[in-house]
Amino acid sequence: MNRIWYLAAFCCFFVFLHIDAVSQIEIDIVYPKENQEVRAVESTFIYGSVTPANADFSINDKDVDLYSNGSFLANLEIEPGDFPFVCVAITENDTAIAIRNVHVPHPIRSTPKDTLLIESGFVTPQSDLALLPDDVLTLAFKGTPKCRAAFKIEGVTDFIEMDEISSKNSVRFVRTMINPNIISDGEKIRGIYSARYNFEIDQQPVSSRRIIYRLIKSKRDTIYTEAPGALTILSSDSLQTATILDETVLTLTSPRPGHQLFLPVNTFVKITGHRGDRSRIQLSPDRNYWIRKERLE
């Protein structure tokens, strides 16, 4: 990585020294875009074109062949963090340099065992959540492996123990329940704790209750954290209603996956929950869908 940054700095210095020269070479990088987040591990594609097509071309000190029309396609190694592609094209009389900067996310890793930590970016819910008393609440967080974990909903429950899920299923669980945008290089992740909570049958509505997590490593080593989102329990007898502001297409996952449901403007729906900027709408007793609040009135 240091070699690439050194090469980029040298190229910038070279361009500065020749700022008055008019280059006859053009380098057009189509992908990736400047400052784009490249969601890949170890390597990724870069493509574009060079004029003239007989130039000697390299990216990050690796020779790249040009097609007869000057286009190029290369699969190159990358590293997590801010990463530059330094493109250099050389002819007998000229040299051109183009630097394309991207960001490569770090792949998910287990929290180090020698710390006691609950990672704030991996705590649910990340935004305010509103549910019905007959819903099942799934809670989860990522932290130091092999500890004792628990959660508490203030004013609703005492601390309830949580389970550490199997490392075999951890990446899939994190993508489904915590953060769908994580990058994984296949390494097993430990320290993912989860629990499912069924509200009491006579659960009364509550508003904006904090969810507290506890992680215990030893009798003298305990930490707490609060979920970013608060929990509201709605009343089943006084649900809000709304209308659809624009034509909406919903994908059906059952009983016939792949089918779609078309809702025209002004379709009347019942709201059965909220999650951040989305509301859950009920179209029948067994059909609920999440859509953006801005599409409802």
Side-chain angles (χ1 to χ4, degrees), residues 131-150:
L131 298 173
L132 293 173
D134 58 355
D135 282 323
V136 177
L137 174 63
T138 300
L139 296 171
F141 72 87
K142 179 176 181 288
T144 306
K146 296 184 177 181
C147 294
R148 290 175 53 201

Side-chain angles (χ1 to χ4, degrees), residues 24-84:
Q24 300 302 310
I25 303 176
E26 293 184 3
I27 302 174
D28 179 25
I29 304 171
V30 177
Y31 175 87
K33 301 297 184 182
E34 181 69 12
N35 296 321
Q36 180 173 341
E37 182 177 79
V38 175
R39 302 182 54 75
V41 177
E42 295 184 353
S43 65
T44 192
F45 287 98
I46 177 172
Y47 60 85
S49 62
V50 176
T51 304
N54 64 349
D56 292 327
F57 186 57
S58 66
I59 304 176
N60 291 350
D61 215 19
K62 303 290 185 181
D63 291 337
V64 176
D65 292 332
L66 297 177
Y67 291 94
S68 58
N69 63 354
S71 62
F72 66 87
L73 171 64
N75 187 19
L76 300 176
E77 294 181 355
I78 54 176
E79 295 182 12
D82 294 327
F83 185 86

Side-chain angles (χ1 to χ4, degrees), residues 111-112 114-120 141-145 147 191 193 215 217 223 225:
T111 306
D114 58 356
T115 65
L116 183 57
L117 177 67
I118 297 175
E119 297 191 32
S120 59
F141 72 87
K142 179 176 181 288
T144 306
C147 294
Y193 299 91
L215 195 60
K217 192 172 185 179
I223 59 172
T225 195

Side-chain angles (χ1 to χ4, degrees), residues 14-278:
F14 181 89
V15 171
F16 177 77
L17 290 178
H18 294 77
I19 195 167
D20 292 329
V22 178
S23 175
Q24 300 302 310
I25 303 176
E26 293 184 3
I27 302 174
D28 179 25
I29 304 171
V30 177
Y31 175 87
K33 301 297 184 182
E34 181 69 12
N35 296 321
Q36 180 173 341
E37 182 177 79
V38 175
R39 302 182 54 75
V41 177
E42 295 184 353
S43 65
T44 192
F45 287 98
I46 177 172
Y47 60 85
S49 62
V50 176
T51 304
N54 64 349
D56 292 327
F57 186 57
S58 66
I59 304 176
N60 291 350
D61 215 19
K62 303 290 185 181
D63 291 337
V64 176
D65 292 332
L66 297 177
Y67 291 94
S68 58
N69 63 354
S71 62
F72 66 87
L73 171 64
N75 187 19
L76 300 176
E77 294 181 355
I78 54 176
E79 295 182 12
D82 294 327
F83 185 86
F85 289 102
V86 181
C87 305
V88 181
I90 302 174
T91 63
E92 290 184 358
N93 302 314
D94 201 3
T95 298
I97 300 160
I99 301 176
R100 179 55 47 91
N101 298 291
V102 299
H103 180 75
V104 182
H106 288 265
I108 188 171
R109 290 283 187 268
S110 298
T111 306
K113 295 180 180 178
D114 58 356
T115 65
L116 183 57
L117 177 67
I118 297 175
E119 297 191 32
S120 59
F122 292 88
V123 175
T124 65
Q126 283 286 306
S127 55
D128 289 347
L129 180 66
L131 298 173
L132 293 173
D134 58 355
D135 282 323
V136 177
L137 174 63
T138 300
L139 296 171
F141 72 87
K142 179 176 181 288
T144 306
K146 296 184 177 181
C147 294
R148 290 175 53 201
F151 77 91
K152 177 175 74 171
I153 305 172
E154 288 198 331
V156 178
T157 71
D158 293 325
F159 274 106
I160 298 174
E161 295 293 318
M162 305 176 70
D163 297 320
E164 183 175 359
I165 69 172
S166 167
S167 60
K168 180 180 178 180
N169 303 318
S170 59
V171 171
R172 183 188 305 171
F173 180 87
V174 171
R175 283 188 173 137
T176 302
M177 301 304 305
I178 302 178
N179 184 348
N181 299 316
I182 64 166
I183 294 294
S184 171
D185 58 3
E187 181 175 318
K188 292 182 179 180
I189 306 301
R190 294 173 173 81
I192 308 299
Y193 299 91
S194 72
R196 290 167 59 88
Y197 178 71
N198 295 80
F199 298 108
E200 300 293 338
I201 296 177
D202 59 349
Q203 174 65 54
Q204 297 299 308
V206 296
S207 179
S208 300
R209 297 304 172 92
R210 298 192 307 160
I211 298 174
I212 308 298
Y213 290 104
R214 181 180 69 191
L215 195 60
I216 301 175
K217 192 172 185 179
S218 65
K219 291 183 178 180
R220 297 182 178 180
D221 214 354
T222 301
I223 59 172
Y224 299 84
T225 195
E226 179 181 339
L231 174 67
T232 293
I233 302 175
L234 303 170
S235 170
S236 301
D237 299 328
S238 58
L239 295 179
Q240 294 179 317
T241 57
T243 55
I244 303 290
L245 290 176
D246 52 12
E247 185 173 301
T248 300
V249 181
L250 302 175
T251 301
L252 301 182
T253 57
S254 64
R256 296 180 179 179
H259 286 63
Q260 294 177 318
L261 179 65
F262 294 84
L263 301 179
V265 177
N266 294 326
T267 299
F268 185 78
V269 294
K270 182 184 293 185
I271 298 176
T272 61
H274 302 282
R275 184 177 60 204
D277 63 352
R278 294 179 179 270

